[in-house]
Amino acid sequence: MARLLIKTEGLGIQALELHLGVNHVGRDPDCEQHLNHRSVSSLHCELSLTHDGVYLRDCESTNGTFLNGEPVKEAWLRPGQELRLGDVELLVESTDATIAIPEIKVELPPPKVIQEGDELFCARHPERKITFKCTHCAEVMCNACVHVMKRQGGQPLYLCRVCSHKCERIEVLQEKKKKGFFSKLADTVKLKFTHPHNADKN
């Protein structure tokens, strides 16, 4: 952060640490940067810290504001310059506006499944096997995770705990896949080996 070193002794402070925005400098205790010296006006000047640097504006001070020995009303400060407010001498050490961004820790979601050999177990209930899979978001879960909705006069409806869409038992999904594959295979074999003579009879 921007910093001005105080070269004049007896003020009780060694530097002005500027904050973002306008810093009022003066003898008045209400000023953000308080300089208790008789040559400094109650509101002597303003030091505005921006992303572009530090901008100085004299506030009609009695004893004046000087930069490298020259009287100024407004000016951009640069590191290494000498600033004088009345009889108080300062050295511009830094004009950077450093913004510290706090570290944000992101908690990673737990794994969807725990694999032990060929078996898959629920990450929320490690003692239970995976039994359901959502047909919408593909989330997998055990019996304890899935939401069951009872339908009057029908089979229960299993709902996903993540998106609330329909879930199906993994065994049912696997049977559907197997049935589709073997049905196509059987039809292909049947067509390929049908005798022309029998086809004519049909």
Side-chain angles (χ1 to χ4, degrees):
M1 195 65 73
R3 190 166 185 258
L4 283 73
L5 301 178
I6 298 175
K7 299 172 65 177
T8 301
E9 297 180 356
L11 294 177
I13 56 175
Q14 297 179 341
L16 300 183
E17 304 280 352
L18 305 184
H19 59 74
L20 280 173
V22 179
N23 295 258
H24 297 95
V25 184
R27 196 174 68 253
D28 192 323
D30 290 336
C31 290
E32 292 89 353
Q33 306 297 339
H34 179 220
L35 291 177
N36 188 19
H37 194 276
R38 63 180 183 276
S39 67
V40 175
S41 298
S42 295
L43 177 57
H44 198 100
C45 67
E46 292 178 350
L47 297 174
S48 299
L49 177 59
T50 71
H51 296 289
D52 296 321
V54 178
Y55 190 73
L56 163 71
R57 186 177 74 85
D58 181 80
C59 296
E60 302 297 329
S61 62
T62 301
N63 295 313
T65 299
F66 301 83
L67 190 59
N68 288 342
E70 298 293 331
V72 293
K73 291 296 182 181
E74 296 184 14
W76 284 98
L77 300 186
R78 296 190 305 274
Q81 289 181 320
E82 292 185 356
L83 177 65
R84 181 162 58 85
L85 308 179
D87 294 332
V88 176
E89 296 181 350
L90 304 97
L91 175 66
V92 181
E93 182 182 60
S94 172
T95 58
D96 295 333
T98 304
I99 302 175
I101 301 176
E103 181 181 356
I104 300 175
K105 295 183 179 180
V106 179
E107 295 184 3
L108 297 176
K112 290 187 176 181
V113 295
I114 300 173
Q115 186 169 1
E116 294 183 8
D118 295 332
E119 299 290 344
L120 297 179
F121 292 84
C122 179
R124 304 178 190 90
H125 305 92
E127 73 282 359
R128 296 176 179 266
K129 293 182 181 180
I130 294 296
T131 52
F132 284 91
K133 182 176 182 179
C134 178
T135 57
H136 179 74
C137 71
E139 177 77 7
V140 292
M141 62 205 79
C142 68
N143 290 345
C145 291
V146 71
H147 295 301
V148 182
M149 179 180 290
K150 293 182 180 180
R151 294 183 293 185
Q152 187 174 0
Q155 295 295 325
L157 180 64
Y158 301 103
L159 301 178
C160 176
R161 64 175 289 127
V162 176
C163 67
S164 299
H165 283 76
K166 181 182 177 182
C167 289
E168 288 191 352
R169 290 188 180 276
I170 291 180
E171 293 85 352
V172 174
L173 294 175
Q174 291 175 344
E175 287 177 4
K176 286 182 178 180
K177 290 182 180 179
K178 290 181 180 179
K179 184 177 179 181
F181 172 75
F182 285 113
S183 296
K184 290 180 181 179
L185 180 62
D187 293 341
T188 303
V189 172
K190 184 177 179 181
L191 290 172
K192 185 174 181 180
F193 293 100
T194 300
H195 196 279
H197 179 68
N198 294 334
D200 294 338
K201 288 182 179 180
N202 293 334

